[in-house]
Amino acid sequence: MTGNLIDINNVSKYYGTSAALKDVSFKVGQGEILAIAGPSGSGKTTLLNMISGLSKPTTGSISISSQDIGKLKPGKDLANLVGMIDQQYSIIPELNVINNVLAGNLGNWSLFKSLLSLIYPLERGKVFAILKDLGIEDKINNKAAHLSGGEQQRVSIARLLVQNPMVVLADEPVSSLDPARAEDIMQLIRSKLVNTNRSVIITLHNTRLIQEYCSRLIGIKEHSIVFDVSANEINESMLKELYK
Ligand SMILES: Nc1ncnc2c1ncn2[C@@H]1O[C@H](COP(=O)(O)OP(=O)(O)OP(=O)(O)O)[C@@H](O)[C@H]1O
Ligand SMILES: [Mg+2]
């Protein structure tokens, strides 16, 4: 670990008068894979959405590499700092694989759409190399809709590798997957996305996957952090208590 990349400082989020997250503070170092766990409604997605810049804290601040995320508009600057894998691995089904991957170059969808006609062969070599590393280079011209679920996940990881943000967020990336595919995606995240300059934050419920793939676990309950431990300190009773 070479230093703190993410600094979450007394962050609260209120919807009207009801709290979605209350006074949360923590730092995340480069090279860390941080798991966030907690019961439904505890505030996990709310937290990730604020780290991604999608929503703003009601109070407190979030910085990545000393830049205040709450002050950045969607676009290149934000895309260089943070990227997200969502539960649906949102690929664009009607586009072919290369265009889905190249979307990682662009800060937002309207720009993406407007530039679509320009981007066809520009970085084909780069995309090919990334897809080859993920074992799906033969699909580069295929329509994304015709890929298997596992291949679509690889495309979404390839897009993130093109975007190359300093922080990668994944909201329940394995919760809709069978155990073999869950293992596969966690291995891909660890082997392709984690490096010494980047931090990864994943919401995960499975104790074994957390222990195996993550360096640290933060437990959230009733909108607040209840523990913050390294992976080797996790035990079943902590998680049982968290979900009780
Ligand atoms: N846009 C919104 N407007 C009002 N309330 C919201 C909004 N988004 C989230 N909430 C509330 O904030 C709380 C935290 O929601 P959040 O989605 O962060 O939970 P979560 O921990 O991700 O749950 P799950 O495990 O079910 O995904 C919930 O009570 C939710 O109803
Ligand atoms: Mg959620």
Side-chain angles (χ1 to χ4, degrees):
M1 212 188 291
T2 47
N4 286 317
L5 188 56
I6 310 174
D7 188 353
I8 300 189
N9 195 2
N10 299 110
V11 164
S12 297
K13 179 78 178 182
Y14 283 84
Y15 291 106
T17 55
S18 76
L21 210 59
K22 285 191 282 199
D23 200 24
V24 163
S25 296
F26 61 93
K27 296 180 202 292
V28 187
Q30 287 177 311
E32 269 199 86
I33 314 185
L34 169 67
I36 309 255
S40 183
S42 56
K44 305 177 299 296
T45 298
T46 300
L47 176 60
L48 291 196
N49 284 343
M50 288 189 290
I51 300 172
S52 77
L54 271 178
S55 86
K56 311 281 175 222
T58 309
T59 58
S61 64
I62 296 176
S63 62
I64 296 177
S65 191
S66 303
Q67 296 187 69
D68 188 337
I69 287 296
K71 296 203 169 106
L72 292 176
K73 293 196 178 66
K76 261 280 166 216
D77 291 345
L78 189 59
N80 285 335
L81 292 178
V82 58
M84 193 140 171
I85 308 178
D86 66 33
Q87 226 175 335
Q88 289 74 40
Y89 297 91
S90 54
I91 56 145
I92 309 156
E94 55 280 5
L95 294 184
N96 61 20
V97 166
I98 187 169
N99 280 322
N100 267 281
V101 174
L102 284 170
N105 274 325
L106 303 158
N108 64 60
W109 285 124
S110 57
L111 189 59
F112 169 51
K113 283 170 183 156
S114 67
L115 290 175
L116 198 54
S117 58
L118 297 175
I119 62 179
Y120 63 99
L122 284 179
E123 294 193 25
R124 194 182 170 86
K126 180 180 171 187
V127 174
F128 185 85
I130 288 173
L131 292 174
K132 189 162 195 290
D133 191 38
L134 293 164
I136 53 165
E137 74 278 15
D138 57 327
K139 309 288 183 195
I140 189 163
N141 293 317
N142 289 34
K143 198 169 163 182
H146 297 160
L147 302 178
S148 74
E151 289 162 352
Q152 291 184 7
Q153 283 161 2
R154 282 171 163 71
V155 170
S156 75
I157 289 188
R159 184 177 55 202
L160 212 46
L161 288 168
V162 166
Q163 182 186 339
N164 194 25
M166 298 181 92
V167 171
V168 168
L169 308 173
D171 197 3
E172 309 214 14
V174 306
S175 61
S176 61
L177 306 180
D178 64 60
R181 282 209 8 234
E183 199 80 41
D184 181 51
I185 201 81
M186 290 306 298
Q187 276 174 16
L188 281 176
I189 288 172
R190 178 168 65 190
S191 62
K192 308 300 179 198
L193 293 177
V194 176
N195 66 42
T196 51
N197 300 316
R198 190 180 277 141
S199 307
V200 177
I201 305 182
I202 308 179
T203 59
L204 260 188
H205 299 287
N206 180 296
T207 310
R208 192 192 63 76
L209 290 179
I210 295 169
Q211 286 171 320
E212 170 118 19
Y213 292 98
C214 300
S215 53
R216 176 176 162 202
L217 170 66
I218 285 182
I220 298 187
K221 191 173 191 173
E222 290 166 5
H223 321 295
S224 297
I225 292 179
V226 289
F227 59 74
D228 181 347
V229 296
S230 64
N232 56 22
E233 296 173 78
I234 302 170
N235 57 59
E236 275 295 341
S237 64
M238 283 165 76
L239 279 139
K240 273 212 182 92
E241 184 65 27
L242 183 67
Y243 287 98
K244 208 163 70 183

